[in-house]
Amino acid sequence: MAGFTAAAGSVRYIERQTGHVFEIGPQGENPARLTNTTIPKIFDAIWSPDTSRALLRYTENESLRTVSATFQASTTRISPLPLTASAAFAPSPLTKLAFFVSDTSGGRVRTAESDGSRPTDILTTPFPDFLISWPDKNTLSLSSRPSGTTDGFLYSYTLDTKRLSKVAGSIPGLEVLWSPDMRRIVFSSYDTQSRLPRLSVMDIKTRAIQDLETTAMASKCAFSVRNTNTLYCGLTTNPPAGLYPDEWLQGALVMNDDLWKIDLTTLEKTKLGADRVFDVIRPRVSPDERFLYFVDKKNNSLWSYKLKD
């Protein structure tokens, strides 16, 4: 499974080996294949908010390809994109995407239509690599690739004013999760003394930071879609010490996560009733807040946990 998205009452995902799109119920019921176009060796998929498109990265003839894929009827139409390190779709109702293009002098942020047409460079940077996301229709997020060996930085770019602002910096192992209302970020950092990741929350307006007293990575968390004070995370009670997130990304460290709910106001933590442990990645809450979806990194399997009846 290369990537999934939560739709209304269902989940859509792309099969890694074939590139076929499947839809399945939130508890594994009524599986159906939606497309027949074969695109083998997909290793990453980023979905558009309306689930009709995805950014696919795959290998072909030992070369890396990045395409924008549109799913129509039972076919997949693809449009090539530059060999970019990261890309993201705009949130609804916009039908655009943004991607970062490296060059000899640094890099460029470019926006385009969802099929990659009408590309426009909107920002140049002296840095050759950024992870890009589009958390709000008027804001792009640019973060350095996380590593416990280097300081991480986070910038926001406001599209209407064309203003680049530094949000956070000099944080080793920085991973970032924006709240749906854009008023705060949850971020993880690497503690060089304990050799463990630490989870914190920052108020964007005041820049005040609060330690969540939790050993976790931001990439293992997802905000509630209806209550921005609620965070769902995969947490390991006694995680192994190491270089985070590097060794975990490389597979040298494995986590045994339980599912938890964190109240960002009171810092109360509630363990959810899952009957097994996982190495949680890509958590996402369904639009109706009934299910928490995630992938178990141990075997790349897709799971759901029922939050509400």
Side-chain angles (χ1 to χ4, degrees), residues 13-227:
Y13 66 92
I14 296 176
E15 190 174 62
R16 184 184 295 263
Q17 295 84 356
T18 65
H20 296 162
V21 177
F22 290 82
E23 186 170 73
I24 195 168
Q27 294 181 290
E29 68 275 23
N30 303 320
R33 187 169 70 179
L34 302 183
T35 67
N36 298 317
T37 304
T38 299
I39 307 174
K41 299 182 181 180
I42 294 175
F43 62 87
D44 191 25
I46 301 172
W47 286 82
S48 65
D50 65 1
T51 74
S52 67
R53 303 175 180 89
L55 296 170
L56 306 180
R57 302 187 76 198
Y58 62 96
T59 56
E60 183 179 64
N61 298 325
E62 299 184 355
S63 297
L64 175 67
R65 293 198 66 187
T66 303
V67 299
S68 176
T70 301
F71 310 117
Q72 295 180 336
S74 61
T75 63
T76 302
R77 297 175 56 190
I78 63 173
S79 303
L81 296 176
L83 299 181
T84 175
S86 60
F89 279 108
S92 295
L94 303 179
T95 56
K96 291 182 174 291
L97 59 87
F99 46 95
F100 191 86
V101 181
S102 299
D103 57 33
T104 55
S105 60
R108 291 168 289 153
V109 177
R110 181 176 294 172
T111 59
E113 298 302 315
S114 58
D115 62 357
S117 63
R118 300 172 62 186
T120 303
D121 289 344
I122 62 171
L123 177 67
T124 59
T125 80
F127 306 105
D129 189 21
F130 267 118
L131 298 178
I132 190 167
S133 63
W134 205 327
D136 175 77
K137 65 180 181 179
N138 194 41
T139 307
L140 293 177
S141 171
L142 303 171
S143 59
S144 53
R145 197 169 295 277
S147 172
T149 63
T150 58
D151 287 344
F153 294 85
L154 171 67
Y155 295 87
S156 64
Y157 181 77
T158 306
L159 292 167
D160 57 2
T161 63
K162 300 181 180 180
R163 180 183 178 186
L164 182 69
S165 303
K166 181 180 176 181
V167 179
S170 301
I171 301 175
L174 178 66
E175 289 186 347
V176 175
L177 177 67
W178 287 87
S179 66
D181 59 10
M182 300 294 291
R183 294 181 179 179
R184 68 183 98 178
I185 58 169
V186 167
F187 69 93
S188 53
S189 57
Y190 178 57
D191 186 328
T192 56
Q193 292 186 339
S194 66
R195 301 183 67 226
L196 293 171
R198 298 291 301 177
L199 202 61
S200 304
V201 60
M202 173 192 286
D203 184 287
I204 296 299
K205 184 176 181 180
T206 66
R207 293 297 195 268
I209 296 175
Q210 184 174 25
D211 187 347
L212 294 181
E213 301 174 1
T214 300
T215 301
M217 290 172 282
S219 58
K220 288 179 172 284
C221 298
F223 273 96
S224 162
V225 297
R226 297 184 178 178
N227 183 353

